[in-house]
Amino acid sequence: KNKKSTLYSLQLINNKINRRMELIATLKSQIYTLNDSLASTQISVEKLCKRLKEMKSEYARIAYYLYKYNNPYTRMMFVFSADDINQAYQRLRYLNEIAVYIRKQAVKIKDLEKVKKIKIEQIEREKQIKNCLLDQQTTQLSSLELEQQRKNKLKKKLSGQELQLRASLRKKRKE
C-alpha cells in the first residue's frame, strides 16, 4: 500500500514535470515569436525614421525657399517678370501649388510622427510582455528544478526501501 502511494506520487511528479516542460517550451516559443515581432517593428521604425528625415529635409528646403520668396514684393516681382500673361499666370499657380504642397507635406510629416510614436509604444509594450514571459520562464524553470529534486529524493527513498525489503526477504528465506 505504501509502495503504491509512493509510486502514485512519483507518477504525479512526473506528470507535473512534463506539464511544466511543455509550459516552458510554450513560453520559449512565445518569446521567440515576440523577438521576431520586436525585430520587425524596430526595422520598421528605422525605415520610418529615415523616411521622416528625408521628408523633413525636403520640407526644410522648400520652407526656406518659400520664406525667401514669400514676401509680397518678391512674389510680385517673380510674377510680373514673366514674358507674357500666360507665364505670369503659370508662375502664380506655381507659387500657390508650392504653398499647398508644403502644407500637405507638413500634415504627412505629422502623421508619420504619430505612426512612429505608435510603433515605439508598441515596441515598449512588446518589451514589457517579453520581460513578463522571461520572468514566467525563470519561475517555471526554478519550479521544474524543485520538482526534479523531489522526484530524485522520492526515487532514492524508493530504492532504499526496495533494498531494505529485499534484504529482509533474503533474511526470511535463510531462516
Side-chain angles (χ1 to χ4, degrees):
K1 188 175 181 181
N2 190 20
K3 185 176 180 180
K4 282 185 181 180
S5 68
T6 309
L7 285 174
Y8 182 72
S9 297
L10 186 62
Q11 187 178 12
L12 283 176
I13 291 173
N14 278 333
N15 287 341
K16 272 184 163 180
I17 288 172
N18 290 337
R19 298 296 168 256
R20 202 164 302 279
M21 289 173 86
E22 288 172 6
L23 180 62
I24 290 169
T26 303
L27 287 172
K28 282 183 181 180
S29 172
Q30 289 175 342
I31 290 169
Y32 180 77
T33 304
L34 202 56
N35 281 337
D36 283 349
S37 175
L38 263 171
S40 67
T41 307
Q42 286 175 334
I43 289 170
S44 173
V45 167
E46 288 170 6
K47 287 179 181 178
L48 196 60
C49 286
K50 184 178 178 183
R51 185 167 173 222
L52 267 170
K53 187 177 178 182
E54 291 169 359
M55 286 179 75
K56 284 180 179 181
S57 68
E58 181 183 351
Y59 180 83
R61 186 177 50 80
I62 293 172
Y64 175 74
Y65 171 80
L66 277 180
Y67 169 76
K68 191 173 178 183
Y69 297 107
N70 203 24
N71 70 38
Y73 179 73
T74 309
R75 239 181 121 121
M76 281 186 351
M77 288 298 294
F78 179 68
V79 171
F80 289 134
S81 68
D83 293 334
D84 57 21
I85 203 127
N86 189 30
Q87 190 180 31
Y89 175 73
Q90 292 295 327
R91 286 183 178 192
L92 190 59
R93 248 184 78 210
Y94 171 72
L95 289 174
N96 288 335
E97 284 178 17
I98 288 177
V100 169
Y101 175 77
I102 199 161
R103 281 188 219 106
K104 286 181 181 178
Q105 285 298 98
V107 170
K108 282 183 183 179
I109 289 172
K110 284 181 184 177
D111 290 345
L112 282 177
E113 288 285 350
K114 287 178 186 175
V115 169
K116 177 183 166 186
K117 182 180 177 185
I118 289 169
K119 286 192 181 276
I120 289 173
E121 289 171 355
Q122 178 184 352
I123 287 173
E124 291 303 316
R125 280 192 308 273
E126 288 177 353
K127 283 182 179 179
Q128 288 174 349
I129 292 169
K130 179 183 173 185
N131 287 336
C132 182
L133 288 174
L134 286 171
D135 289 344
Q136 286 179 356
Q137 183 183 15
T138 304
T139 303
Q140 294 301 322
L141 284 171
S142 63
S143 296
L144 176 67
E145 191 176 311
L146 288 173
E147 287 173 3
Q148 285 177 336
Q149 288 173 358
R150 282 181 44 203
K151 175 184 169 183
N152 291 337
K153 284 180 185 178
L154 200 54
K155 277 185 173 180
K156 282 183 183 179
K157 180 181 173 185
L158 278 175
S159 297
Q161 286 177 349
E162 187 178 358
L163 289 175
Q164 285 177 349
L165 288 172
R166 284 186 183 181
S168 66
L169 197 67
R170 274 190 236 129
K171 266 188 182 180
K172 286 183 181 180
R173 285 185 185 168
K174 286 183 181 179
E175 291 175 359

